[in-house]
Amino acid sequence: MRYSTAASSFVELKDGWTSCGIACNSPDVRNVALNLTWHVDVPLSDGFVAVHHGDKEIVVAWAGTHRYRALLTDLAVFTRPYIAGASMGVHSGFYDSVNGVDALVGQRVEMLMAELPDYMVVFTGHSKGGAEAALSALNLVRRIKGLKHRVKVWTFGEPRLGDSQFATFYNRQLGTATYRVTSAADPVVAMPPQFLFGYCHHGMEVWLMNAKGDIYVGQNSTGCLEDPHASSSVDFYDRSIKWHKNYLGLPPPDHADAEFSW
């Protein structure tokens, strides 16, 4: 989660870890060597690739909704085919933002994988960044030889990314390597709603049930792959944005140089 927060803070490679508040004060982040940052306006996305030698990890972190124009990405909820000719739809806003930098990110990840053959590759992000991290991981696993056996995906407060056919395809590729963390009554994880273009979450959900730290691991047992006993059991009107803005005790970039946090 600290990587996700840091990614949302307009960190520039030449400045190192600056201006991202609580996240940058963590040893977990301070000990990471930035390798690439990107700040793209059209289609909008921000993030970084870094290396944590202590944990033997290559980290790909995507920023959440921290610029006002990022809301346009969030609201582009019309689905588009993920693979031409296949009947699986993906959120068009996230599709465009990821594909705008996928070649650059993929090239850097592939280079680091060759240089560091015993390092895992971790994709992560909060909110919009979580959806982008999951989609980026799926794209690159399909293109980079050997990545599937070295990848982990950790998302926090991720909105729905595509329809049930896409979720099924994702789970076949990365279901056992993905941890989609949801927090108590987070409203963003319930968006876009299921009735809209057939949206459905991929696995594997790790639901932080309450502030006490109780955890439930979703079983993806329903037709739409969402466990009715996990976060989807919370009525939408009982949800609060406070649960989206505070994961594992670390808020998104309220303390960073961001326009706003969501």
Side-chain angles (χ1 to χ4, degrees):
M1 181 61 199
R2 295 184 186 276
Y3 296 135
S4 307
T5 300
S8 300
S9 63
F10 301 117
V11 176
E12 296 291 346
L13 182 61
K14 62 184 176 62
D15 294 330
W17 297 116
T18 60
S19 73
C20 58
I22 293 173
C24 285
N25 291 328
S26 164
D28 293 337
V29 172
R30 288 286 183 182
N31 292 333
V32 169
L34 279 168
N35 190 275
L36 168 73
T37 63
W38 70 89
H39 308 280
V40 179
D41 289 331
V42 181
L44 190 144
S45 71
D46 302 88
F48 65 80
V49 178
V51 177
H52 194 306
H53 292 292
D55 290 344
K56 289 192 172 183
E57 290 178 343
I58 299 163
V59 180
V60 183
W62 290 76
T65 304
H66 66 289
R67 293 203 256 169
Y68 291 114
R69 283 181 294 108
L71 290 170
L72 298 177
T73 299
D74 295 340
L75 295 173
V77 297
F78 292 99
T79 58
R80 58 170 297 162
Y82 177 61
I83 299 174
S87 59
M88 63 179 83
V90 66
H91 187 290
S92 60
F94 301 145
Y95 180 95
D96 288 341
S97 63
V98 169
N99 279 273
V101 295
D102 238 14
L104 175 66
V105 173
Q107 182 181 40
R108 193 58 58 97
V109 167
E110 197 164 15
M111 179 192 75
L112 290 171
M113 286 177 62
E115 292 179 1
L116 306 166
D118 58 340
Y119 281 41
M120 295 294 291
V121 183
V122 178
F123 290 79
T124 188
H126 172 262
S127 191
K128 174 181 79 77
E132 291 168 332
L135 186 57
S136 176
L138 181 60
N139 287 353
L140 297 185
V141 156
R142 296 176 60 228
R143 295 209 309 260
I144 299 176
K145 184 178 180 179
L147 177 57
K148 187 172 184 178
H149 305 293
R150 296 172 59 179
V151 70
K152 292 293 181 186
V153 183
W154 284 89
T155 72
F156 302 86
E158 176 191 343
R160 292 187 177 102
L161 181 53
D163 61 20
S164 60
Q165 290 83 5
F166 174 82
T168 298
F169 180 78
Y170 183 99
N171 286 347
R172 287 173 181 164
Q173 300 294 319
L174 287 172
T176 59
T178 298
Y179 304 89
R180 181 174 56 82
V181 183
T182 59
S183 180
D186 182 349
V188 173
V189 304
M191 302 297 291
Q194 290 180 326
F195 65 79
L196 195 65
F197 306 113
Y199 270 99
C200 175
H201 270 303
H202 62 77
M204 176 177 54
E205 181 178 9
V206 180
W207 183 32
L208 309 178
M209 299 173 64
N210 49 49
K212 298 178 182 177
D214 295 326
I215 294 174
Y216 176 84
V217 178
Q219 303 302 306
N220 289 342
S221 58
T222 71
C224 190
L225 308 177
E226 295 186 21
D227 189 331
H229 304 295
S231 64
S232 61
S233 66
V234 180
D235 188 277
F236 189 81
Y237 297 101
D238 292 330
R239 297 176 182 270
S240 169
I241 197 63
K242 73 176 184 179
W243 292 108
H244 185 65
K245 292 170 67 69
N246 195 329
Y247 269 75
L248 305 178
L250 181 67
D254 296 64
H255 303 279
D257 184 20
E259 294 175 7
F260 78 111
S261 64
W262 179 257

